[in-house]
Amino acid sequence: MGSARDGWPGHTGGDERLGVEVRPGPEPGIVVVAVSGELDHDTAEPLRTALDEGITGGARRILVDCSDLLFCDSTGLNVLLRARLAAQDTDARVELAALRPQVARMFAITGAEAVFPRYASLAEALAEPRRE
């Protein structure tokens, strides 16, 4: 298994302002994508890649850990919305955990908060009973 810097699962690279770490969840079919820093037009590609790989890799549930996400603009929001739609096509889910207030505000203003399951923390998301 790779470290956080040398491939799957682990760091998917990208701009120094954004970190994306992918790791398996506690059960098969769950993938955790931890995002840190600033998610915007210039940094969104590593997250897009990680989400696409999770969906095409057969994940049933992709938990995006936003506890260290400091900023998200409309590009970042669109990456998450597109991943959500792609996941639905495979009967998978994209869920958000630990949104900071400034990021949660973007979701509230745009109405996107209504389309994502959201949890106060990653631990709370992982404790959620398994749904088929």
Side-chain angles (χ1 to χ4, degrees):
M1 194 180 280
S3 75
R5 292 246 173 236
D6 65 2
W8 174 266
H11 186 76
T12 60
D15 187 289
E16 294 169 4
R17 293 181 298 129
L18 182 77
V20 177
E21 182 182 335
V22 180
R23 59 186 182 267
E27 298 177 24
I30 298 176
V31 173
V32 176
V33 178
V35 185
S36 61
E38 300 175 8
L39 176 57
D40 60 29
H41 176 75
D42 295 327
T43 63
E45 192 56 36
L47 178 59
R48 182 180 293 114
T49 299
L51 293 170
D52 288 347
E53 288 176 359
I55 294 164
T56 60
R60 309 305 300 148
R61 190 172 180 213
I62 300 171
L63 299 174
V64 183
D65 179 0
C66 300
S67 58
D68 292 324
L69 183 62
L70 305 175
F71 174 80
C72 179
D73 74 356
S74 61
T75 301
L77 179 62
N78 281 321
V79 166
L80 291 165
L81 288 167
R82 285 187 179 120
R84 178 188 161 273
L85 289 175
Q88 282 182 325
D89 289 342
T90 65
D91 293 324
R93 300 186 314 271
V94 174
E95 304 174 0
L96 308 176
L99 289 172
R100 290 173 172 246
Q102 62 271 31
V103 176
R105 183 166 156 57
M106 162 72 100
F107 282 81
I109 289 170
T110 62
E113 69 182 3
V115 300
F116 287 99
R118 290 172 295 126
Y119 302 91
S121 68
L122 182 59
E124 179 184 309
L126 291 171
E128 178 75 13
R130 186 177 181 154
R131 289 184 281 168
E132 294 299 328

